[in-house]
Amino acid sequence: MAAEPTPDVSAPRRRSPGLNALILIGAIVVAVPVGLAAWIGGILLTQAAGIDMSVNQVFAWLMSAFVGLVLWPVLRRRAQVEFWRSEHGGTPPKVAATKADAAVRALVMIAGAVALIAICGPQDIVSTLSVFWGAVSPGRRSSGALLQLAGLVLVAVLMTPALLITGRALRRASPDDPVYLRLQLRQNWYSSAALAWVGSLFIGILVGWLILTRL
């Protein structure tokens, strides 16, 4: 088996909290009118195409696209930073991924986005999940604990394959080996992706439920 190339490590740049706040405010100011324009445009397009789709369903598709294409990548990056900080301190170093790693990660992001849109977009699915949750939930007090348990189980299922593969490679590698850092970052990336996807799924279903019941 060919050895992996030595990772090229560069220190990540840090933005000031003030700059982060300005970016967030700017994103909100831009996102609200763009979202409204996209909603109106989606309604007009479906009507022009003769597609029988409710106004709420158009909005649900737009929000599911936001969850899959914007929220999930943002949460994945945030989870990656927090995982690394809790285990190693600081922020993850910049290490160029191998071509194979980059291809698999791109595939994971694309498949995850498609899955989020497919699950959170159709209001029939959200309605079915809502009915199912109402049937299995023992009550309001314990529904939160049951939701947390469901999230933990789903995260564990998604994390397990990556943790098994990278964990075995880490046990075989020496901490002094430069490739050891790449393996740590690989494990960190897949773990953060699993957690972020489950979080995005729950948020997407919640948004879909609010659209279904409140609009």
Side-chain angles (χ1 to χ4, degrees):
M1 181 176 179
E4 294 193 21
T6 302
D8 180 18
V9 182
S10 57
R13 297 180 180 180
R14 296 183 179 179
R15 291 195 298 260
S16 65
L19 180 59
N20 287 334
L22 287 176
I23 292 175
L24 178 61
I25 294 172
I28 294 174
V29 170
V30 172
V32 171
V34 169
L36 289 174
W39 187 14
I40 296 172
I43 295 171
L44 296 177
L45 284 175
T46 54
Q47 291 177 348
I51 300 174
D52 186 15
M53 185 180 298
S54 68
V55 172
N56 286 2
Q57 181 60 82
V58 174
F59 189 45
W61 279 117
L62 289 175
M63 292 306 299
S64 67
F66 175 81
V67 169
L69 301 176
V70 178
L71 182 63
W72 184 40
V74 171
L75 290 183
R76 192 215 58 78
R77 176 57 186 168
R78 187 71 251 170
Q80 181 183 15
V81 172
E82 293 303 325
F83 275 178
W84 188 269
R85 181 175 296 161
S86 64
E87 294 180 3
H88 308 284
T91 56
K94 296 282 188 177
V95 177
T98 63
K99 292 182 178 180
D101 267 345
V104 173
R105 292 179 187 183
L107 182 61
V108 168
M109 295 303 297
I110 293 172
V114 171
L116 287 170
I117 294 172
I119 295 172
C120 304
Q123 292 205 293
D124 289 343
I125 293 180
V126 174
S127 177
T128 301
L129 291 175
S130 178
V131 172
F132 172 76
W133 184 257
V136 301
S137 178
R140 291 185 177 180
R141 294 182 178 180
S142 54
S143 61
L146 184 60
L147 185 63
Q148 292 179 0
L149 177 61
L152 289 174
V153 171
L154 189 52
V155 169
V157 169
L158 294 176
M159 276 188 181
T160 297
L163 291 178
L164 288 177
I165 295 173
T166 55
R168 182 179 301 177
L170 280 169
R171 287 193 296 270
R172 293 178 178 177
S174 170
D176 298 330
D177 191 339
V179 179
Y180 191 83
L181 175 61
R182 189 191 297 279
L183 294 172
Q184 287 181 315
L185 290 169
R186 181 183 299 168
Q187 186 177 71
N188 174 262
W189 192 94
Y190 287 107
S191 299
S192 63
L195 180 62
W197 190 87
V198 174
S200 300
L201 176 66
F202 281 13
I203 292 174
I205 293 175
L206 175 60
V207 171
W209 178 79
L210 290 174
I211 295 172
L212 180 67
T213 59
R214 298 294 186 266
L215 292 184

